């Protein structure tokens, strides 16, 4: 036990320059993939989309089959926040299995609901004109409801962006050994967040929604590969081992967890229906069948990833119950206990994984925010480029 505690007190010490190298490498690779996709369209078509975005640029309407949609829903729905949220469920004994399963399935359930609701909304909106649920609110209920849904959607997506940028910035600060409390890391975390925003905004401006979906495919495969690698590395480390008795004593099926399960389902499904980035993928589906299969499969992938992080939180709690029960350690930071003792190579792997997760979510949210205004701008023969300026405002505020 003493040697374990001593190991846990070992600080993260990834060099700052090396961390910046990972950040620029991941985001730069994503940007280059987008540029390659733009060049394949031809220079004239690409330039036209940048100066005056087309319908395809904004909606990618009827373009994608279910494998692409599955990877896109998976990558865009899972942000860097999963390294805090899901492990916290596992590291709180009163929530334990019910909390982890509730969070994991509820995070995917929004997509499963759209398997049924998506085709109805697309049909009612007019498959050839709408971009998102905001347009459905206008067509079905009028301007007042449209404004209400617009405000709620923008607020929800803005908070989501704030959560993503805060998470990825704090993770980088943690891995380079800076405190995430007080002003010690304020300048550093602001720089990290700004770099993520600039890169994602740049490539979504270059190619719009197709860029987001294209990068989602790359990001989805990357996420799966690195999660498997981390799983093997973290759970085969000697200091992370727990006995069956320790694990069973630290977990269970409790009433508080059941309450959390129900609460999470209601809260997350309700909120996710205002995520216009997900609704864009409803309109981007080639057919209703592709949309249903894509969201169903993507939802299963989300559940598996969330379960992975949740169980990691359980293992961390089982290793040192007293510290978590007395709040010497906090549940939302539990996964860092398991990663801390890994060789530094795995800290770089973790940064690559989380940067990929953050970029895939932020670019989707930027496109979602743009879609809220784009339909009205086109309808009144105004340039959709105004929506890009609105996104800049949201990103600066975030």
């Amino acid at each position: 036990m003493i040697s374990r505690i001593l190991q846990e007190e070992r600080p993260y010490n990834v060099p700052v320059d090396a961390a910046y190298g990972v950040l620029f490498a991941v985001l730069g690779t994503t940007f280059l993939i987008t540029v390659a996709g733009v060049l394949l369209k031809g220079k004239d078509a690409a330039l036209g989309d940048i100066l005056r975005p087309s319908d395809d640029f904004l909606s990618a309407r009827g373009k994608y089959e279910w494998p692409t949609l599955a990877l896109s829903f998976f990558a865009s729905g899972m942000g860097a926040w999963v390294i805090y949220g899901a492990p916290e469920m596992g590291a709180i004994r009163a929530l334990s299995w019910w909390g982890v399963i509730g969070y994991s399935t509820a995070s995917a359930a929004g997509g499963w609901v759209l398997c049924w609701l998506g085709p109805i909304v697309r049909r009612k909106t007019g498959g050839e004109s709408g971009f998102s649920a905001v347009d459905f609110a206008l067509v079905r209920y009028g301007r007042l409801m449209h404004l209400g849904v617009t405000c709620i959607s923008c607020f929800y997506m803005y908070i989501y962006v704030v959560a993503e940028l805060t998470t990825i910035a704090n993770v980088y600060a943690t891995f380079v050994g800076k405190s995430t409390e007080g002003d010690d890391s304020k300048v550093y975390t602001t720089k990290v967040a700004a770099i993520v925003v600039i890169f994602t905004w740049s490539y979504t401006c270059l190619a719009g929604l197709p860029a987001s979906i294209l990068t989602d495919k790359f990001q989805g495969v990357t996420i799966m590969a690195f999660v498997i690698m981390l799983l093997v590395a973290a759970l085969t480390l000697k200091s992370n081992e727990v006995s069956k008795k320790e694990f069973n004593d630290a977990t269970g099926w409790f009433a508080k967890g059941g309450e959390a399960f129900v609460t999470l389902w209601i809260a997350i499904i309700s909120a996710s229906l205002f995520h216009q980035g997900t609704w864009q993928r409803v309109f981007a589906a080639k057919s209703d069948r592709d949309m249903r299969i894509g969201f169903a499969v993507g939802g299963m992938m989300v559940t598996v990833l969330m379960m992975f992080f949740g169980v990691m939180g359980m293992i961390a709690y089982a290793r040192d119950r007293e510290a978590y029960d007395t709040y010497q350690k906090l549940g939302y930071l539990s996964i860092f206990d398991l990663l801390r003792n890994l060789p530094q190579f795995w800290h770089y792997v973790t940064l690559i994984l989380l940067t990929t997760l953050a970029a895939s979510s932020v670019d989707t949210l930027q496109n979602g925010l743009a879609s809220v205004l784009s339909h009205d701008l086109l309808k009144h023969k105004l340039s959709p480029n105004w929506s890009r300026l609105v996104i800049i405002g949201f990103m600066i505020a975030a």
Side-chain angles (χ1 to χ4, degrees), residues 163-184:
E164 277 301 298
L165 296 178
T166 302
T167 299
I168 192 62
N170 283 345
V171 166
Y172 268 83
T174 299
F175 275 92
V176 300
K178 293 180 180 290
S179 171
T180 56
E181 299 176 3
D183 295 329
D184 177 46

Side-chain angles (χ1 to χ4, degrees), residues 8 12 81-92 166-167 170-171 173-175 178-181 309 312-314 316-317 319 324 327-340:
E8 287 177 350
Y12 287 101
W81 58 268
V82 299
I83 203 168
Y84 290 145
E88 184 175 23
M89 291 291 121
I92 299 175
T166 302
T167 299
N170 283 345
V171 166
T174 299
F175 275 92
K178 293 180 180 290
S179 171
T180 56
E181 299 176 3
F309 282 110
M312 294 276 273
M314 290 180 179
Y317 175 73
R319 291 171 67 243
Y324 286 100
Y327 300 102
Q328 296 173 49
K329 293 180 180 178
L330 301 176
Y332 76 95
L333 298 174
S334 57
I335 197 168
F336 291 100
D337 282 346
L338 301 182
L339 300 177
R340 186 183 301 275

Side-chain angles (χ1 to χ4, degrees), residues 108-123:
W112 296 335
V113 169
L114 290 183
C115 291
W116 161 72
L117 191 60
I120 298 172
V121 169
R122 188 159 71 164
R123 189 165 57 251

Side-chain angles (χ1 to χ4, degrees), residues 47-176:
L47 183 61
D49 273 347
I50 293 170
L51 296 177
R52 187 165 184 82
S54 64
D55 181 80
D56 179 69
F57 183 96
L58 295 166
S59 71
R61 195 182 313 281
K63 195 171 181 180
Y64 297 105
E65 297 180 349
W66 73 262
T68 299
L69 292 174
L71 280 173
S72 182
F73 179 74
F74 168 64
S76 62
M78 291 292 92
W81 58 268
V82 299
I83 203 168
Y84 290 145
E88 184 175 23
M89 291 291 121
I92 299 175
R93 187 170 184 269
L95 304 181
S96 199
W97 282 111
W98 280 121
V100 170
I101 293 172
Y103 207 169
S104 301
T105 53
S107 297
W112 296 335
V113 169
L114 290 183
C115 291
W116 161 72
L117 191 60
I120 298 172
V121 169
R122 188 159 71 164
R123 189 165 57 251
K124 293 285 186 181
T125 305
E128 299 305 314
S129 59
F131 292 146
S132 64
V134 171
D135 302 322
F136 169 75
L138 177 61
V139 171
R140 183 71 178 80
Y141 300 106
R143 180 61 70 179
L144 186 61
M145 181 62 76
H146 171 251
L147 291 174
V149 173
T150 296
C151 290
I152 295 170
S153 296
C154 287
F155 177 74
Y156 167 69
M157 288 188 285
Y158 168 72
I159 295 299
Y160 202 148
V161 171
V162 171
E164 277 301 298
L165 296 178
T166 302
T167 299
I168 192 62
N170 283 345
V171 166
Y172 268 83
T174 299
F175 275 92
V176 300

